[in-house]
Amino acid sequence: MKKFKWIILSLFIMGGASLSASELPPNILENARCFELIDDITTDYTNKFSSFNPAGYITKVNGEKNLQKLTFFYPTEPLVVNGQNDIDLPADASSIMRFFTNFYYVGDFENGNAMKLYIVSPDGKEHLLNNHGNSWGSVGKKVSHGPISETAHLPAGAPTSQIDYSGYKLRFKGEGTVAQVYLWNHSGIATEYDALAYGVIGADLPIEEVKIKIDTKTNLILDGHGEFEADVYKNLHATPISLMSNTTEITSNDKISSKAYEDWGFEAARGTYRFQSFEESKLITQGDNGYSKIEDALYEQYQPNPKLQQKFQNLFPTIGNDYVATFDGWPSWQWEKGITVDKLSASPAYEYFDAAADIAAHIVKAFNTKFGDYAPKYIEVKNEPTIPNEWHFFNTESKDVAWNYLEEFHNKMADAIHELNPNTLVGGPSSAFMYLENDNFNEAKYQLDFIDATKNSLDWYSHHFYENSNLLVNGRKDNSDGFLSGRFEAVMDLLIGHMENTDNIKPFLITEAGNYNNLHTDIDYFQKLTAYNGYMLRFMDYPEVVDMYVPYLYALAGWAADRNINLYQFVNSKNQNQGIKDQMTYAEAYVDIWKDFDGKYILSDVVANDELVEERVFTKAVRDGDTIYLAVHNLNPARVELDLDFGANIVSASKKQSYLENAELYYKEEIVEDLDNIYMRAQEMAMFEIKLQEGTAFDGALARESYYSTQQLVDSGANKIFTINVDSFDNAKNEVATLRVNFGRETRGFDGHMDVSINGTHIGTRSLEYTNKSGDIFTFMDFDIPDTSAIKYGENEITVSMPTGGVISNVKLINYYR
């Protein structure tokens, strides 16, 4: 039987009131009631379908079996869909669907664009469960999906109390047949319903003691970068001004976009331009052999426009041309014949690659002509073509061929754009789903091959990072499927190490990052803040390659004015001239906490008795005159007690903080009286502002240099040898050093331990037991080198021993020296 974990948790820091089951919100109690029905409903369907087992389970490392799949529609003959056909959604399936992630449907249809799924509510209104064109499987047995999260605005999708779950239908639109429909949860449904957010997160764990030592007197130089660069990190998602606009007057949208910089110092940095827009406006028309007629209409509209350039300068005095324009949605005459595509994400047929590159080059030239010095410096070849719905060759060709085509396309695009626009910088592949451990790290090999194949054409590389919809980053029942649990560093280190080894160092522009959760509770907003803040801190650790970080956060997206992706909101979205609301949106807790962060980097060293706890507290500190800004993100599943050691005389201290407690999101600013005893909640983000005594010295420099192993993607096991060449090192000046081992495995983690030595000197053994659970793992483990004299100038040999069955992606040496 499923169990509801009745949470009795402290609501306050030190004892006080507690939250009992009877005090839980009605929606949580309803979830608990329906959760208890899952076993009985599963039994009913098992009895109904005697010819096969409709229930599928996933077995965890600890032996626990969790329900992963439950089929509720399996007709004797497949459902024929010729335009549209409906099936009833049984009330029992409707009552438990929210505990699963997707409806999966199996049948004979061309692809995910050719068969769409809708849910129809009892009032007859239909709601698309958007599969974004995705499908997979063989001919005659295609599989696609409908995300159940998109039912959250319906009573059955997010019930507040016991309701009638009957009367819903599933509607299929397209051509083909549907033979089976089932509920699916990749990780499996847990045996207990957990109301973790309704109380104090981590209250069942001891409070960990963590010390942060801040070197206020010494400038920290991170691989050549000693100062926080606001234009790299303080960005929003949208181009500063529409490159298709001819409106020289300042509109309300213009004011809102520029207001984000005035209020918070965050700039618009990336937007998408679809060739479909140029086609629909007749600025380009069909020519011969897939080429486009462009010379007349396009260039007539894209004459030099000094008034628009002046408008740009007035609105965005600091941006200039430092933003990205991304192409997508190629014109219809370049589509693959016989392939159903989404016009917004359409990619060109292979035979039209040259023609596609040609039209792109001309449009970039038109941008440069019209906007001059304010045209985008960066052009991104295509949005997210590493996934099937954006690069249709993943549906029609082998994965090897699809990636080869992608490399060839980027080279052709870059060469054509450079020929007409020599100062424009071209990049890609705008990667989605950077799970490099997939298919036994073949996904990593595709990414590395792409880097090699585009070495002589692309100017920069771009990737997207998103967290999935989970409250906890670390300490979950299964290995984390997000990037902030260590996967981010492992991915970055592998990519950078490969560039180092192939003499191909190029900048990274992170043109999207955030959280996939699009629901609308404080819990959901908190998850987004965790992602935005987490990525800000992590990208800051790679200034040698990161030239831009753009979270998927809009000042105000006019096409979705009421959604929770906005920094501002209209008073009345149907009458936008009434202006924007004064009250804060959840997103302001992100831009405001970083608003004043600026200055030269200083060292903030985290120390804890437990090395794992230590690695899950992330900090960055800067000094601006006599002011210190210290950012601290506690990504432990436990609360911590901070001891901040500044080693200098403090005049005053304050902090801004965002956290979740009792399912409510808090954002506060308060005075800090005691820097030695600061309570910090699990996954809390805090920004400390520390005023030093006037004239406190700032006259030292501490340099960090990073080096990567020549070997990469090595099968794990005993005595694996890696070599790192250190070409700028002085033992006499070396203060401290760390060896980082990046490693991973599909399906499950590792038991046992990892053992590391350098040049024959043993430097540490650490347990891997925290990874020993279900789910893919790709992460890192750091080993401090207690005696830096073990490091040599020139070639260093590192030996890593750990269990077999996985991959050591590479090893990184991090030196700090005066």
Side-chain angles (χ1 to χ4, degrees):
M1 178 182 289
K2 297 292 178 187
K3 299 291 184 183
F4 174 55
K5 188 187 293 182
W6 298 108
I7 302 295
I8 311 290
L9 295 180
S10 169
L11 290 182
F12 302 107
I13 296 173
M14 298 296 179
S18 60
L19 187 65
S20 67
S22 61
E23 296 173 300
L24 287 169
N27 63 313
I28 299 302
L29 291 173
E30 176 63 5
N31 282 345
R33 185 188 73 83
C34 292
F35 195 84
E36 291 281 352
L37 301 175
I38 292 175
D39 283 344
D40 291 339
I41 293 172
T42 302
T43 299
D44 290 344
Y45 279 106
T46 302
N47 293 332
K48 176 180 178 180
F49 297 116
S50 56
S51 61
F52 80 107
N53 186 358
Y57 292 84
I58 182 172
T59 302
K60 303 296 185 177
V61 172
N62 63 3
E64 183 179 280
K65 289 178 64 177
N66 293 159
L67 181 67
Q68 185 180 52
K69 170 185 178 180
L70 182 60
T71 300
F72 60 87
F73 178 76
Y74 192 80
T76 306
E77 296 293 331
L79 176 75
V80 177
V81 182
N82 186 11
Q84 176 179 306
N85 209 339
D86 294 353
I87 65 171
D88 290 329
L89 177 61
D92 52 9
S94 175
S95 70
I96 62 172
M97 65 180 179
R98 61 192 179 280
F99 303 114
F100 295 82
T101 55
N102 288 283
F103 291 107
Y104 274 11
Y105 51 100
V106 183
D108 188 1
F109 47 87
E110 187 174 2
N111 56 42
N113 286 308
M115 186 69 74
K116 299 287 188 181
L117 176 63
Y118 297 74
I119 189 168
V120 183
S121 51
D123 60 7
K125 294 181 179 179
E126 64 179 29
H127 312 271
L128 175 65
L129 306 183
N130 198 344
N131 66 2
H132 299 286
N134 281 332
S135 63
W136 57 95
S138 58
V139 175
K141 196 174 182 181
K142 283 284 188 184
V143 184
S144 191
H145 65 94
I148 291 173
S149 62
E150 296 190 23
T151 69
H153 62 292
L154 301 174
T160 57
S161 59
Q162 191 166 345
I163 65 166
D164 183 358
Y165 290 96
S166 63
Y168 287 86
K169 296 179 183 292
L170 293 179
R171 175 166 294 166
F172 297 92
K173 288 188 177 183
E175 301 292 331
T177 64
V178 176
Q180 182 181 3
V181 185
Y182 55 88
L183 295 164
W184 173 262
N185 183 322
H186 176 76
S187 299
I189 295 175
T191 55
E192 296 178 328
Y193 178 74
D194 193 349
L196 179 66
Y198 291 86
V200 177
I201 303 171
D204 56 333
L205 299 172
I207 297 175
E208 301 285 353
E209 294 187 0
V210 173
K211 186 169 189 173
I212 302 179
K213 299 177 180 179
I214 301 96
D215 186 346
T216 61
K217 302 177 182 180
T218 304
N219 186 195
L220 175 62
I221 315 297
L222 298 171
D223 291 271
H225 295 257
E227 189 168 350
F228 175 78
E229 298 173 84
D231 61 329
V232 172
Y233 302 102
K234 293 186 179 181
N235 294 305
L236 298 174
H237 198 273
T239 47
I241 193 170
S242 173
L243 298 174
M244 301 187 72
S245 172
N246 290 308
T247 304
T248 56
E249 294 79 18
I250 294 178
T251 66
S252 59
N253 281 338
D254 292 329
K255 291 177 181 176
I256 291 165
S257 208
S258 63
K259 182 175 172 56
Y261 181 75
E262 294 169 7
D263 288 350
W264 317 108
F266 279 70
E267 301 176 332
R270 188 252 190 171
T272 301
Y273 287 85
R274 294 181 169 87
F275 294 95
Q276 278 295 314
S277 301
F278 295 94
E279 177 181 348
E280 290 166 0
S281 59
K282 305 297 183 185
L283 294 179
I284 59 174
T285 55
Q286 184 172 2
D288 296 330
N289 300 319
Y291 279 83
S292 306
K293 296 178 182 178
I294 51 178
E295 286 77 7
D296 297 329
L298 180 67
Y299 285 117
E300 283 177 9
Q301 287 293 320
Y302 279 79
Q303 293 296 310
N305 194 323
K307 290 185 177 179
L308 268 178
Q309 295 175 25
Q310 187 59 53
K311 172 184 174 180
F312 193 115
Q313 169 65 15
N314 292 341
L315 285 168
F316 307 102
T318 62
I319 294 177
N321 67 351
D322 194 19
Y323 63 97
V324 182
T326 302
F327 283 136
D328 213 341
W330 259 258
S332 59
W333 51 86
Q334 292 177 350
W335 295 353
E336 191 89 47
K337 301 299 184 288
I339 299 296
T340 303
V341 298
D342 184 333
K343 68 179 183 178
L344 297 181
S345 58
S347 47
Y350 179 73
E351 64 183 301
Y352 297 141
F353 277 9
D354 288 319
D358 178 73
I359 183 58
H362 280 284
I363 286 177
V364 174
K365 183 179 179 181
F367 290 163
N368 289 329
T369 301
K370 183 176 180 178
F371 285 94
D373 292 339
Y374 301 99
K377 175 167 58 172
Y378 302 103
I379 293 292
E380 194 168 37
V381 168
K382 191 186 190 301
N383 184 56
E384 297 191 342
T386 61
I387 56 177
N389 57 298
E390 288 279 356
W391 192 244
H392 72 263
F393 300 106
F394 284 114
N395 294 314
T396 59
E397 308 286 346
S398 70
K399 201 165 187 178
D400 286 347
V401 170
W403 271 97
N404 288 338
Y405 283 1
L406 190 61
E407 294 160 3
E408 185 176 347
F409 183 63
H410 275 75
N411 287 334
K412 286 180 179 291
M413 284 280 288
D415 292 345
I417 292 171
H418 284 146
E419 184 176 356
L420 290 184
N421 310 274
N423 295 323
T424 299
L425 302 178
V426 183
S430 183
S431 307
F433 306 126
M434 288 290 286
Y435 295 96
L436 301 191
E437 73 275 15
N438 281 356
D439 192 20
N440 194 30
F441 281 85
N442 272 332
E443 193 68 25
K445 294 171 185 175
Y446 287 125
Q447 284 285 347
L448 301 186
D449 287 345
F450 180 91
I451 290 174
D452 295 341
T454 58
K455 177 179 180 178
N456 297 322
S457 295
L458 291 186
D459 302 297
W460 49 277
Y461 298 115
S462 59
H463 306 288
H464 294 173
F465 293 91
Y466 280 92
E467 296 301 292
N468 286 318
S469 301
N470 294 292
L471 178 61
L472 286 181
V473 170
N474 291 301
R476 305 214 298 256
K477 189 171 186 179
D478 298 324
N479 283 315
S480 174
D481 54 2
F483 290 88
L484 295 179
S485 59
R487 184 176 274 105
F488 170 77
E489 285 84 354
V491 168
M492 291 290 284
D493 286 347
L494 178 59
L495 297 178
I496 297 169
H498 186 75
M499 291 195 300
E500 291 270 11
N501 289 331
T502 56
D503 193 25
N504 183 26
I505 292 295
K506 289 191 171 80
F508 286 170
L509 275 66
I510 308 303
T511 48
E512 286 183 31
N515 181 286
Y516 286 123
N517 194 338
N518 285 316
L519 303 181
H520 306 278
T521 70
D522 278 15
I523 300 170
D524 306 307
Y525 298 153
F526 179 68
Q527 289 175 16
K528 283 191 173 292
L529 289 174
T530 298
Y532 294 148
N533 288 313
Y535 284 130
M536 174 72 95
L537 277 164
R538 310 296 256 282
F539 283 118
M540 220 182 295
D541 213 31
Y542 292 90
E544 71 273 27
V545 294
V546 174
D547 275 14
M548 187 179 291
Y549 158 51
V550 187
Y552 194 71
L553 172 61
Y554 287 83
L556 205 167
W559 48 268
D562 295 324
R563 289 179 62 186
N564 67 339
I565 58 173
N566 296 319
L567 180 55
Y568 303 106
Q569 290 185 327
F570 288 116
V571 172
N572 182 352
S573 60
K574 294 182 174 57
N575 184 359
Q576 298 179 2
N577 291 327
Q578 293 180 16
I580 59 176
K581 298 176 181 178
D582 290 333
Q583 64 261 40
M584 183 176 183
T585 70
Y586 83 90
E588 288 188 38
Y590 167 65
V591 294
D592 186 67
I593 209 167
W594 290 101
K595 177 181 178 181
D596 298 319
F597 188 90
D598 199 14
K600 295 183 182 297
Y601 289 120
I602 58 176
L603 182 66
S604 51
D605 187 29
V606 180
V607 181
N609 290 329
D610 186 323
E611 291 172 301
L612 193 58
V613 170
E614 184 175 298
E615 287 176 355
R616 289 171 171 176
V617 175
F618 296 86
T619 73
K620 274 291 174 288
V622 291
R623 177 169 171 173
D624 185 12
D626 289 326
T627 302
I628 301 290
Y629 295 100
L630 171 67
V632 183
H633 204 194
N634 174 31
L635 290 187
N636 281 288
R639 299 162 294 167
V640 301
E641 192 168 283
L642 287 181
D643 176 1
L644 302 183
D645 180 4
F646 283 87
N649 292 327
I650 305 300
V651 174
S652 64
S654 63
K655 70 171 177 177
K656 296 176 180 178
Q657 60 189 139
S658 62
Y659 61 90
L660 187 76
E661 194 163 81
N662 194 25
E664 291 188 31
L665 173 62
Y666 292 89
Y667 182 62
K668 294 180 177 180
E669 184 172 0
E670 60 189 26
I671 301 298
V672 178
E673 300 289 353
D674 183 2
L675 291 172
D676 298 331
N677 186 22
I678 299 170
Y679 173 81
M680 197 170 195
R681 296 158 185 84
Q683 299 201 179
E684 178 179 324
M685 172 69 193
M687 181 69 72
F688 296 88
E689 182 176 327
I690 310 296
K691 297 293 184 182
L692 302 176
Q693 186 177 59
E694 186 176 352
T696 300
F698 190 51
D699 52 12
L702 180 68
R704 184 192 76 181
E705 294 289 346
S706 302
Y707 305 91
Y708 297 86
S709 63
T710 303
Q711 298 79 11
Q712 57 191 25
L713 301 178
V714 175
D715 288 344
S716 65
N719 299 317
K720 298 296 179 176
I721 305 299
F722 297 83
T723 55
I724 295 178
N725 188 59
V726 177
D727 56 9
S728 57
F729 180 65
D730 185 346
N731 258 322
K733 296 180 180 179
N734 193 39
E735 291 248 324
V736 67
T738 299
L739 265 176
R740 171 172 294 173
V741 180
N742 296 292
F743 64 99
R745 185 183 187 182
E746 279 192 298
T747 308
R748 60 172 295 175
F750 301 88
D751 58 7
H753 61 271
M754 180 185 291
D755 193 83
V756 177
S757 63
I758 181 168
N759 299 320
T761 299
H762 182 256
I763 62 169
T765 300
R766 290 186 60 184
S767 172
L768 292 165
E769 286 302 320
Y770 77 94
T771 75
N772 191 18
K773 46 191 174 182
S774 297
D776 295 355
I777 182 80
F778 191 28
T779 189
F780 68 92
M781 189 169 275
D782 282 348
F783 294 81
D784 291 335
I785 301 176
D787 182 1
T788 58
S789 66
I791 305 170
K792 300 177 185 177
Y793 180 85
E795 187 173 283
N796 291 262
E797 183 177 283
I798 293 92
T799 305
V800 179
S801 292
M802 65 177 294
T804 59
V807 167
I808 302 170
S809 53
N810 66 352
V811 178
K812 178 180 182 179
L813 174 63
I814 308 166
N815 284 337
Y816 291 88
Y817 60 89
R818 296 286 172 180

